[in-house]
Every structure is written in C-alpha cells, then in structure tokens.
Amino acid sequence: MRTPESTPGTVTVLGIESSCDDTSASIVRCVRMRRPEILSCVVHGQSSLHAGFGGIVPEIAARAHAEKLDVCTKEALDAAGMSLKRLDAIAATAGPGLVGGLLAGVSFAKGLCTGAGKPLVGVNHLAAHALTVRLVEEVAFPYLALLVSGGHCQLLAVIGADEYWRIGGTVDDAPGEALDKTARHLGLEQPGGPALERIAMAGDARRFALPRPMLKKRGCDMSFSGLKTALIRTHDELSAAGAVSRQDVADLCAGFQAAVVDVLTAKTERAVEAFARRLGSPPNAVAVCGGVAANQLVRRSLQEMCGRIGVECVVPPPGLCTDNGAMIAWAGHERLRLGLFDGLDLGVRSRWPLDVKSPPLVGSGRRGAKA
Ligand code: KG4
Ligand code: ZN
C-alpha cells in the first residue's frame, strides 16, 4: 500500500466528504505508537444555498460539491503542509447519501488517485460517524454507538471497523430529520437542530406534555414522527388561539428537545443491556455520534446515564459530530489497516446499511434497506 514518496512509519490519508450538504476535506496522519492527528479539516457548508427551499435540493447540492471539492482539498493540503505525493491513500464517502454529491466526491477522489498513483478507499458515511470516537480517544472494539444524524438513528454494536450489529433504531424519522422539520414549522432557520437548541435554552421543557413514543415498548427501537406531529399540532392550536409568542416557541423547542433526549437516553441504556446479553460482556464504551450528538443536552444526558451505569461515554467534539472530512480520512485508516481498499470501479450507494444480516428496519423498498 505504501507509495515511494510517503514517510516510513506514518500513514497519511486525505478524506473527502460530500454525501449531503457539507463539502469537506481533511488530512489525518497516524504515526506508529502515537494517537492519530488531524492535520487539517476544511468544511464548506451549503446552508445558504438551500435556505430559500426549506430543505436540501439534491441537484444544487451536487453542483456545489463539484465546484468546491478542489478548493476544499487544496485548502486542506495547504493547511496541513502536505502534498498529494506524500499521501498514502485517498478516502471518499461512497454512501449512503445523495447520489449526485456522492458521485461528485468519488469521481474527484478517483481522479486524484489516478493522477497521484494512490490507493482509493470507499467509506460508508455511517461507519465513519461510528468510528470517529477512536480518532479522538483510545476506544477498543467492541463498543456501543448511538448514531444520531439528519438521516439516521441507530444503536449499533461496533464489533470491528467492518463489522456491525444493529441493536435498534428509528422505525420512521431520524431525530435530526424531526428536529429540522419541526424547526421549519416553527419558522426557524436550517439546519433546524442547532437553531432549535439555541431557542430551547430560554424555554420551559415541562410546559407542554409532548409524547415519548415507544419509550415503554420493549426493545431498542424508536420513533420520532409522532412527536413531531404532536408538536406541530400544539403549535397550530396555539396559533389558532392567537399570536404565538417567542416564549411559546422557546417552550415548544425545549419540550421537543427534552422528549428526543429522554427517548435516546432510555433506549441507549436498554441497548447496553442487549449488547451485554448478546456479546457476553458490556460494551467497552458508549459512543455518541452523528450531527445530533453536537447537542449539549444529548451529550449531557448520555454522559449522566453512562456514569450512573458505570460505562465510559465518549462523545467527539461537536465539529467532529456533524459531517466532516476527518471522520472519512479516519475511517480510511481503519479500512487500510484491515487491507481493505477499492479499485477505480468503486460505485456509490444511496442506501448502504451497516448491518446486512439483520432484517431491514426502515426503507426496505425498491432502493433497498436504509437501515
Ligand atoms: O451527521 P450530520 O451532520 O449529517 C447527516 O449525516 O445527516 O447531521 C445533521 C443533523 C441535522 O439534522 C442537524 O439539524 C442536526 O444534525 N444537528 C443538531 C445539532 N447540530 C446538528 N441537532 C441538535 N442539536 C445540535 N446542536
Ligand atoms: Zn452524517
């Protein structure tokens, strides 16, 4: 795998992310016996391009990625003081995600690999989120990951970098999706998660009795679409009764956030037990990852619960929870260590579940299982 120009004893990977609405490139270096190091991580967000449409427009996203990938990569190489020649491999997100963006990123990575004579590593975006904890801390396999993002919500036993068992997940909306849709209904900016979190700080979470769907149901599956509908209904009732005040909105946001956090925390605690039953010992850690893990209340609640049951909780810094190239570069390292890399025939996949053995939880239609 080593190419003649790379430095002995070190492995340096460029990671490229373009699966949704963030174009990102990052250089991550591993030196033998030392902790990995993020030499640079450049993220060009697209929120302003989609702001007028109430959601991400795939075609606009794909074009913006195609325009920004080279800029981003050059910035990441310059910031790291690196050249393409000195890299050991190039990793790119190959799925799941929006096909146009994935194609832009993977085609760009293929071009770089061909030009610079470097190996290509196709990365599963969900695996990259789940593995990020090992970039920031020394976490041994197997561990439990709560992966909560804009499109996904899963509780996974991470048995190895290429081996996952899904313990539970959402049967409908992902929490990020529910947060984004709710925020849109309340007239907040996108992405809705951070906007809702900000407003919730001034709110009273106990004022509105919002449901905790499936909380009492056995198992580790979750549901967030009923909660979203309940909030929208409550908001509409308030609006029908007169003007909705800033305090009303803050109380709704706080109530919604608290409900999401309660469900995530209770189901994760239950998943720790399921993990121990199935694997014979408790997880080495609980990793909280994906964009929603940037939320302070989510972080605090999961940390408190883990402290109570005596399991280590690892939550990457917020910038490594939301989409970024460093997690792709790191997942590239993890795959290279297993001898897994790809050829120029690497394709992209809009759906790409990590656990292929368990029956599909959502989206088992024509395009395959989402999770
Ligand atoms: O992982 P991510 O960046 O992209 C996907 O893979 O989906 O996650 C994006 C999601 C969005 O739904 C966004 O609203 C949510 O993460 N998010 C947050 C926060 N920051 C991002 N949700 C709650 N609180 C936050 N601070
Ligand atoms: Zn993501």
Side-chain angles (χ1 to χ4, degrees), residues 69-116:
L69 278 161
D70 56 348
V71 180
C72 239
T73 303
K74 171 135 191 359
E75 286 175 7
L77 287 167
D78 290 349
M82 261 283 153
S83 63
L84 277 178
K85 249 189 358 204
R86 287 170 55 213
L87 294 173
D88 293 288
I90 297 171
T93 308
L98 300 172
V99 167
L102 293 170
L103 276 173
V106 167
S107 309
F108 177 70
K110 284 180 183 175
L112 291 183
C113 287
T114 308

Side-chain angles (χ1 to χ4, degrees), residues 17 19-22 56 96 125-126 129 147-152 174-181 183 189-198 257 289-299 318 320-324 327:
E17 160 60 29
S19 66
C20 192
D21 62 343
D22 288 308
I56 298 164
H125 182 90
L126 305 176
H129 274 305
L147 197 171
V148 267
S149 70
H152 294 269
E177 187 180 357
L179 285 160
D180 292 342
K181 288 178 181 166
E189 68 199 36
Q190 293 292 318
L196 194 139
E197 179 180 30
R198 253 188 329 272
Q257 188 178 247
C289 46
V292 179
N295 182 283
Q296 293 303 323
L297 195 62
V298 170
R299 302 165 80 85
L320 291 177
C321 290
T322 48
D323 290 351
N324 65 86
M327 70 183 200

Side-chain angles (χ1 to χ4, degrees), residues 96 125-126 129 145-156 165-179 213-214 220-225 260-261 263-265 267-268 288-293 298 302 354 360-362 370-371:
H125 182 90
L126 305 176
H129 274 305
L146 167 66
L147 197 171
V148 267
S149 70
H152 294 269
C153 174
Q154 297 176 34
L155 281 155
L156 294 160
W165 166 50
R166 195 194 63 232
I167 301 176
T170 183
V171 296
D172 43 50
D173 286 0
E177 187 180 357
L179 285 160
M214 291 179 77
C220 301
D221 289 343
M222 297 166 253
S223 160
F224 295 98
S225 96
V260 170
V261 168
V263 173
L264 292 177
T265 308
K267 293 289 180 169
T268 305
V288 190
C289 46
V292 179
V298 170
L302 267 296
L354 282 177
L361 193 60
V362 274
K370 192 173 169 200

Side-chain angles (χ1 to χ4, degrees), residues 114-131:
T114 308
K118 304 291 170 183
L120 171 69
V121 189
V123 165
N124 179 310
H125 182 90
L126 305 176
H129 274 305
L131 293 168

